[in-house]
């Protein structure tokens, strides 16, 4: 991995976290100059496209492309052009919201992601059947998810006020980003990284793959249930979450006792990240399975705090944890205490903010009102995240050496 790229992606993460902190501070103090909605757009775009997208860009480039393909200049050009769009969005969205410049930069980002996806499809190593299939699935979902973006653009251009369709289009994009592109890209990297240790059979893998794929596609029905209250969509989602649970159980069963060998191959910081990753993966599966209960499905689609909490559960506890895990594989340094401290701070900040949001969401669900100092507690807990990122950045910025452990 290129050290400069890693640092750039982490700076994007820091910017997104500071934007989020400002948004939470707006509920504690009056910030006259802040346009909350515009800043929210800036925060979400930088977090998703500047941090998660570029994080997976970096790791896929380092791990899943043969050296002679990864060395092509096009990937360097794509990285820096994409970073240019991220900086554009980070400036344009807080100032003007959805307008000429922000739409230009976000559209250019999509075009660049298409080019990256096509290049990776052609260039990636096909030696590992499992990783290759998962990566190609991720790429297809990347294309599919952007349909939602173009529908949103059409609605905004036509100004027809179709609020339900607007929200459904946004959720289409987010659903197939989180449950499609990002999830399957993570799994492709995970099997590439740990496949030799976990030794899942082709039969068990195919069972897991098809159950998860079908379950994740069908689970979009929950959004349709929220938008139109179609009864059949509730039952489709119920089938979907059962399939997702069966997929996870099939995966866990196939690994057996290999987990011990896997854990023994990791540093202390990596073990913490792996534990967080697995815990969140199981938690999100249990949450989704709980939606077969009508009251839970109603709660999940109506309470904004649960929606935000679930998005952050995925972004911080799952995808971020895996990117950090991969980053630590390629960095050998004497300052492991900094790396471990950063991971511990990430873990504390993540757990505290999730606890506060879900607890307040439960209060609203039970009509208990707002518990005291909710916004203050959420703001101060959120302060831990940029500190964690800065600590992680410091570990990478200090002089050390990279252990190039790619699959080239």
């Amino acid at each position: 991995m290129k050290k400069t790229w890693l640092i750039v992606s982490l700076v994007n993460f820091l910017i997104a976290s500071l934007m989020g902190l400002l948004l939470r501070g707006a509920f504690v103090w009056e910030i006259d100059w802040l346009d909350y909605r515009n800043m929210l757009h800036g925060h979400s775009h930088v977090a998703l496209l500047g941090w998660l997208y570029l994080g997976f860009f970096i790791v896929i480039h380092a791990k899943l492309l043969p050296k002679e393909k990864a060395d092509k200049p096009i990937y360097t050009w794509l990285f820096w052009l994409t970073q240019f769009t991220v900086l554009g969005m980070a400036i344009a969205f807080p100032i003007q919201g959805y307008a000429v410049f922000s739409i230009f930069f976000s559209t250019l980002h999509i075009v660049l992601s298409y080019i990256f996806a096509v290049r990776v499809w052609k260039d990636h190593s096909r030696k590992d059947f499992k990783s290759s299939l998962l990566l190609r699935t991720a790429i297809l979902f990347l294309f599919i998810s952007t349909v939602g973006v173009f529908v949103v653009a059409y609605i905004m251009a036509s100004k027809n006020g179709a609020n339900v369709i607007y929200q459904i289009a946004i959720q289409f994009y987010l659903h197939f980003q989180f449950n499609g592109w990002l999830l399957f890209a993570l799994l492709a990297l995970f099997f590439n990284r740990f496949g030799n240790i976990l030794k899942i059979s082709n039969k068990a893998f195919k069972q897991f793959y098809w159950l998860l794929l079908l379950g994740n596609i069908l689970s979009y029905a929950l959004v349709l249930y929220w938008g139109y209250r179609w009864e059949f969509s509730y039952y489709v989602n119920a089938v979907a979450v059962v399939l997702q649970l069966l997929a996870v159980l099939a995966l866990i069963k196939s690994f057996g006792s290999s987990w011990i060998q896997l854990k023994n191959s990791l540093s202390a910081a990596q073990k913490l990240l792996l534990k967080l990753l697995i815990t969140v993966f199981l938690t999100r599966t249990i949450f989704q399975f709980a939606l077969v209960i009508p009251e839970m499905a109603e709660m999940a689609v109506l309470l904004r705090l649960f929606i935000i909490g679930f998005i952050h559960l995925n972004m911080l506890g799952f995808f971020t944890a895996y990117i950090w895990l991969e980053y630590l594989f390629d960095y050998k340094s004497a300052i492991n205490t900094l790396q471990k401290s950063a991971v511990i701070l990430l873990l504390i900040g993540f757990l505290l903010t999730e606890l506060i949001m879900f607890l307040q969401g439960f209060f609203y669900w039970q009509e208990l009102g707002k518990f005291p100092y909710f916004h203050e507690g959420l703001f101060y807990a959120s302060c831990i995240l940029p500190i964690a990122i800065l600590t992680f950045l410091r570990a990478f910025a200090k002089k050390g050496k990279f252990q190039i452990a790619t699959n080239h």
Side-chain angles (χ1 to χ4, degrees), residues 231-299:
E231 188 175 352
F232 84 90
S233 62
Y234 164 76
Y235 293 108
V236 171
N237 181 67
V239 172
V241 296
V242 171
L243 293 175
Q244 289 170 330
L245 180 63
L246 291 174
V248 174
L249 292 176
L251 185 66
I252 293 173
K253 181 182 177 182
S254 66
F255 286 163
S257 60
S258 301
W259 286 110
I260 298 172
Q261 185 182 351
L262 188 154
K263 286 169 61 178
N264 291 337
S265 67
L266 304 176
S267 68
Q270 289 171 326
K271 285 178 184 176
L272 280 175
L273 288 169
L274 182 65
K275 288 176 182 178
L276 175 61
L277 185 76
I278 294 170
T279 301
V280 171
F281 186 50
L282 295 175
T283 300
R284 74 196 293 272
T285 304
I286 293 169
F287 276 4
Q288 290 168 329
F289 183 71
L291 299 182
V292 298
I293 304 171
E295 292 79 7
M296 295 294 288
E298 193 76 16
M299 172 198 70

Side-chain angles (χ1 to χ4, degrees), residues 10-31:
L10 288 168
V11 169
N12 290 343
F13 190 17
L14 179 62
I15 292 170
S17 71
L18 291 173
M19 285 179 165
L21 191 62
L22 189 61
L23 290 170
R24 285 177 176 169
F27 287 95
V28 181
W29 304 282
E30 186 174 344
I31 307 176

Side-chain angles (χ1 to χ4, degrees), residues 7 13 20 53 62 71 100 125 160 195 213 225 230 246 259 272 281 283 297 302 308 310 333 371 394:
I7 292 174
F13 190 17
Y53 173 82
D71 287 342
V100 175
S125 172
N160 61 12
L213 179 65
Y225 175 71
W230 292 334
L246 291 174
W259 286 110
L272 280 175
F281 186 50
T283 300
L302 291 180
I308 296 172
F310 190 74
S333 171
F371 62 81
R394 188 183 172 202

Side-chain angles (χ1 to χ4, degrees), residues 154 241 301 364:
Y154 172 77
V241 296
V301 298
Y364 285 149

